[in-house]
Amino acid sequence: MLEIEGLVKVYPGGVAALSGVSLSIPRGMFGLLGPNGSGKTTLLRILAGLLAPTAGRVVKDGVDVTKEPERLWPRLGYLPQDFGFYPGLTGRAMLRHLLALKGVSSRVGLSALVDELLERVNLGFAKDRRVETYSGGMRQRLGIAQAIAGDPDLVIVDEPTVGLDPEERLRFYRLLAELAEDRTVVLSTHLVEDVAMLCPRFAVIRFGRLLAETSPTEARASIAGRIFEGFVSKAALDALSATGRVTQAHLVEGRNVVRLFVPEGPPPEGLAPASPSLEDAYMVLMGAERRDTV
Ligand code: ADP
Ligand code: MG
């Protein structure tokens, strides 16, 4: 169990990135979902013992991570949001360098460990290729390889699915799900799909505050019977959007389809009951103010 107690972070200059966040994170995969600027990276860096909070603390297995981060690090794997590589190195040389920096050693020798980790993340076929030739998904897998070296029991990954194409994303989901089978994995994302695919539990944050701590099933159940869907005219869509309760709006064969949260009473004419999606639940939490205009 990872306990987060009353975390506050005010950056120099006065930006309040976290305004009192408390959470209990169980074993397995845990999602931290929120829009850009909501405080996800700040929270993860504090969890990893890399940034001191203004107030509050993080406790893992009885250790106060905020006071003694060096006791956490040997059992921690961290994939930062802006993980950098040397593009001219091969995957193998890059990973070897990262492991040396991290101080990882191995009974079988560093080279054997590097090869084993590369196989584990399905990069064995590309280990002698330069990192600059890797796709986004391959780079993220290399990032995971360094994060899991030393067999950490806590792995923190910050928006790892950004920029991956759908196929790469699926492959990466499988790797993360496998990692979470026997350890704690904390994953931040602004994509509801990541949470739906991976997380039995998740927290939603915005403006540095916790809006919910729930499961996908609970989140959908909380709005059961209150989501309605149907075709509408552009004018009707604009009118509905102004209510702030549109959870999704998209085009199907040139016509506007809207999904609407109706907190009580009957829906507007022409809309029929729909089963709630996690996206609906997230948008209701966010105040349903964003609209997909694809
Ligand atoms: P997220 O990862 O959810 O996008 P961040 O934790 O990066 O959110 O940022 C939260 C808020 O803190 C934002 O308003 C951001 O501009 C601000 N912020 C982040 N890092 C710093 C920093 N080093 N100095 C000042 N403000 C920062
Ligand atoms: Mg971030």
Side-chain angles (χ1 to χ4, degrees):
M1 214 48 157
L2 190 58
E3 298 289 348
I4 297 170
E5 300 169 7
L7 279 190
V8 172
K9 180 66 189 182
V10 181
Y11 282 109
V15 178
L18 297 174
S19 304
V21 172
S22 298
L23 266 179
S24 294
I25 298 183
R27 275 181 89 76
M29 182 80 70
F30 187 88
L32 183 64
L33 176 65
N36 286 335
S38 56
K40 301 181 298 296
T41 296
T42 301
L43 179 55
L44 295 191
R45 296 194 69 222
I46 294 173
L47 280 189
L50 299 171
L51 181 69
T54 308
R57 57 183 204 149
V58 176
V59 179
K60 180 178 181 286
D61 305 330
V63 174
D64 185 339
V65 171
T66 29
K67 283 217 184 77
E68 300 180 283
E70 59 289 343
R71 287 182 63 189
L72 170 80
W73 289 333
R75 307 303 320 274
L76 170 76
Y78 176 53
L79 179 57
Q81 186 168 0
D82 48 5
F83 196 63
F85 296 106
Y86 299 125
L89 291 187
T90 63
R92 198 184 218 167
M94 185 74 237
L95 185 56
R96 196 188 165 94
H97 174 71
L98 291 169
L99 298 197
L101 280 183
K102 210 174 160 181
V104 172
S105 58
S106 163
R107 275 179 297 109
V108 292
L110 206 52
S111 297
L113 177 64
V114 163
D115 284 0
E116 186 189 311
L117 285 166
L118 288 170
E119 287 301 330
R120 179 102 196 269
V121 298
N122 266 313
L123 280 177
F125 74 97
K127 61 187 175 192
D128 294 317
R129 274 168 51 186
R130 297 217 304 238
V131 175
E132 64 195 350
T133 69
Y134 282 20
S135 68
M138 289 165 74
R139 286 175 197 215
Q140 287 302 63
R141 274 158 32 221
L142 188 57
I144 287 290
Q146 67 75 31
I148 61 178
D151 196 23
D153 63 359
L154 172 63
V155 173
I156 294 175
V157 287
D158 196 355
E159 301 227 31
T161 63
V162 170
L164 304 193
D165 67 34
E167 199 180 320
E168 287 183 323
R169 182 166 293 175
L170 276 181
R171 187 191 273 260
F172 196 67
Y173 283 154
R174 292 196 188 287
L175 177 60
L176 289 175
E178 188 191 328
L179 285 184
E181 280 174 7
D182 48 8
R183 55 171 68 75
T184 303
V185 178
V186 184
L187 162 103
S188 88
T189 182
H190 65 274
L191 301 173
V192 175
E193 188 201 351
D194 287 357
V195 171
M197 288 282 200
L198 289 172
C199 304
R201 293 211 67 83
F202 68 102
V204 178
I205 64 167
R206 188 167 68 157
F207 301 140
R209 290 180 195 283
L210 196 68
L211 296 185
E213 198 274 289
T214 184
S215 71
T217 307
E218 274 170 32
R220 282 189 293 261
S222 70
I223 51 168
R226 306 308 333 159
I227 297 291
F228 297 86
E229 185 179 54
F231 288 107
V232 292
S233 67
K234 175 71 170 63
L237 173 60
D238 289 344
L240 288 175
S241 295
T243 67
R245 293 193 169 136
V246 170
T247 60
Q248 280 169 57
H250 56 274
L251 284 171
V252 174
E253 297 170 8
R255 296 169 73 197
N256 288 302
V257 175
V258 72
R259 286 171 74 90
L260 186 72
F261 172 59
V262 180
E264 53 187 16
E269 206 164 294
L271 298 190
S275 61
S277 66
L278 193 55
E279 179 82 27
D280 293 325
Y282 179 61
M283 293 308 292
V284 169
L285 269 176
M286 288 287 135
E289 63 205 11
R290 200 183 56 179
R291 197 171 102 208
D292 176 8
T293 46
V294 173

